[in-house]
Each structure stands twice: as structure tokens, then as C-alpha cells.
Amino acid sequence: MLDEITRDIAEVPAVEIITTAAVHLMSAAAVQCGLAEDQKADLDEARKLINALAGLITAAAPEIGDHHARPLRDGLRSLQLAFREASVIQDEPGKGPGEKYTGPVS
């Protein structure tokens, strides 16, 4: 059974694994930003998820290429802006979630 699982994972291209992980982080961050219906925002959790997402995208972009990285960056930027909108206390420019990797988002 373990050999079968390992073989299946070995057949999945790295770009697919990276983008799948990024999409999971994006989805969780969106929920924590309060973007899901009937879901209260937890901005502490959202910050952690957005930071992890920004680090993953920044590190992976040269490996997966612009074609795959561009939509991930767009989603990240949308989450960063949603976080800023949901936050009562505004972070200084460049200090928001993920901005140490992406630079200031406006």
C-alpha cells in the first residue's frame, strides 16, 4: 500500500503539488479573513496563512515559472488587501501579512 502511494506521488509534477498547496493556503486564509459566508474573521490565523503563502509563492516562483506563479501572486495580493480591509488596526506599509516577501501592497 505504501509503495503504491509513493509511486502515485512520484508521478505528480512538482508544479501541481506546489500550486495545490498554495490553493489550500489561499482558501484557508480567505475563510480566516472573513470572506466565507457566516464565518467570523480570525485575523491572527489569517496573518499566519498569508505569510506562509507569500513565502511559498516567492520561493517557488522561479521553479514553477511566471505562467503558474502569476495567478498565485494575484490571489495573494487579493488576500492581502482583504486582510487590510478587515483589520481595525492598520499595519504600516510593508508590515502587513506577507509583505516582507512581496513588498508593500496597496
Side-chain angles (χ1 to χ4, degrees):
M1 175 87 168
L2 185 58
D3 288 339
E4 185 177 315
I5 293 170
T6 302
R7 186 172 46 253
D8 289 345
I9 290 172
E11 294 172 3
V12 178
V15 68
E16 189 173 328
I17 292 171
I18 292 166
T19 56
T20 299
V23 168
H24 284 293
L25 288 167
M26 278 186 201
S27 298
V31 169
Q32 297 300 346
C33 281
L35 298 176
E37 259 185 62
D38 300 327
Q39 184 67 33
K40 185 179 175 192
D42 184 339
L43 296 181
D44 183 52
E45 290 294 303
R47 181 181 296 275
K48 293 171 188 171
L49 292 162
I50 294 169
N51 278 329
L53 176 63
L56 174 62
I57 293 171
T58 300
E63 303 299 327
I64 65 175
D66 190 58
H67 174 73
H68 295 285
R70 187 178 308 126
L72 297 176
R73 285 189 194 109
D74 291 345
L76 170 60
R77 182 175 183 279
S78 294
L79 286 168
Q80 289 171 308
L81 293 173
F83 180 94
R84 179 163 288 155
E85 188 175 306
S87 184
V88 175
I89 301 171
Q90 296 298 305
D91 292 314
E92 294 178 37
K95 301 292 184 184
E99 290 183 347
K100 68 181 174 183
Y101 302 108
T102 65
V105 175
S106 58

